[in-house]
Amino acid sequence: MESRDYKEDLRDLILDMAHKELENHVSKKGAQKYFEGNVDKVIDNNIKKISKERSLSSTYLKIIKQATYQENMSGVAKVIKKEALFKSKNELVRFAKYLGIDINLKSSYKQIIKKVSKHIYSNRNTYARKYVLYKRGEDEYIIEPEKIKTELVESYRSKTREDMKSIARLLDLDVKEEEGAEDIRKKVINYIIKDRLGKKGK
């Protein structure tokens, strides 16, 4: 089982981010209910994806996250050097490219380590916010809350849009493919208001 603290912290963080995204949404209560009911499922799906991949990017994220806890550049360099993958200069160059660092291929291993360490250390606050360490049993995962929040919000928007489309169909209203849930909702409300006003005028 995962640590309850880790689970609740991640859950609360994502819920807070999702609520902020839809702060001005008309149906805040509906959004809140949906988020709270689906956040665990979205977190679990992300962990399943990470478990399946266990790819190079997982190693990169693990190193970046560990490096954000270091107090200086030499601490960051030690974290990088400890990873067996980065004993190779070519792998270190790939890691630098992943981080968006321009590297001169003629540079020495020591120069590249220094450049990569400086970059991570300079951006450690950004990386610390971007990635969260999540423990489940004996396993550790590097989670991107922003990515999970986006999936949660998008799934809510998609569901809301489908619900609104169904109502519009019942009312024989034309709905364009590019119209969002709120646009369709307004169309439905306008139709109902006009219909009611029309009936009152008779």
Side-chain angles (χ1 to χ4, degrees), residues 96-107:
K97 285 179 179 173
Y98 176 85
L99 294 167
I101 305 167
D102 284 329
I103 293 290
N104 182 341
L105 297 178
K106 290 177 184 174
S107 300

Side-chain angles (χ1 to χ4, degrees), residues 66-143:
Q66 286 173 357
T68 62
Y69 299 126
Q70 306 311 306
E71 291 176 10
N72 49 44
M73 264 175 60
S74 62
V76 175
K78 278 179 192 171
V79 167
I80 296 167
K81 284 177 189 172
K82 266 186 198 173
E83 179 57 52
L85 182 71
F86 299 131
K87 301 291 180 203
S88 150
K89 180 183 162 181
N90 286 341
E91 290 300 340
L92 191 59
V93 168
R94 283 194 191 100
F95 183 44
K97 285 179 179 173
Y98 176 85
L99 294 167
I101 305 167
D102 284 329
I103 293 290
N104 182 341
L105 297 178
K106 290 177 184 174
S107 300
S108 68
Y109 180 88
K110 196 176 178 182
Q111 287 170 323
I112 298 170
I113 278 269
K114 191 176 177 183
K115 200 166 184 181
V116 170
S117 302
K118 186 180 178 184
H119 170 86
I120 294 174
Y121 185 72
S122 303
N123 293 283
R124 67 192 183 285
N125 291 334
T126 303
Y127 287 134
R129 283 193 302 271
K130 188 174 180 181
Y131 304 112
V132 169
L133 179 69
Y134 182 79
K135 287 183 180 176
R136 178 171 276 186
E138 296 299 307
D139 296 316
E140 287 185 348
Y141 303 93
I142 305 299
I143 303 282

Side-chain angles (χ1 to χ4, degrees), residues 168 171-176 179 187:
L171 298 171
D172 281 335
L173 293 173
D174 285 330
V175 174
K176 294 189 179 90
E179 284 182 299
K187 201 177 259 189

Side-chain angles (χ1 to χ4, degrees), residues 52-72:
K52 266 186 192 173
E53 290 164 5
R54 285 292 180 200
S55 59
L56 210 53
S57 66
S58 297
T59 304
Y60 290 171
L61 295 181
K62 183 184 80 175
I63 296 299
I64 293 166
K65 189 61 188 176
Q66 286 173 357
T68 62
Y69 299 126
Q70 306 311 306
E71 291 176 10
N72 49 44

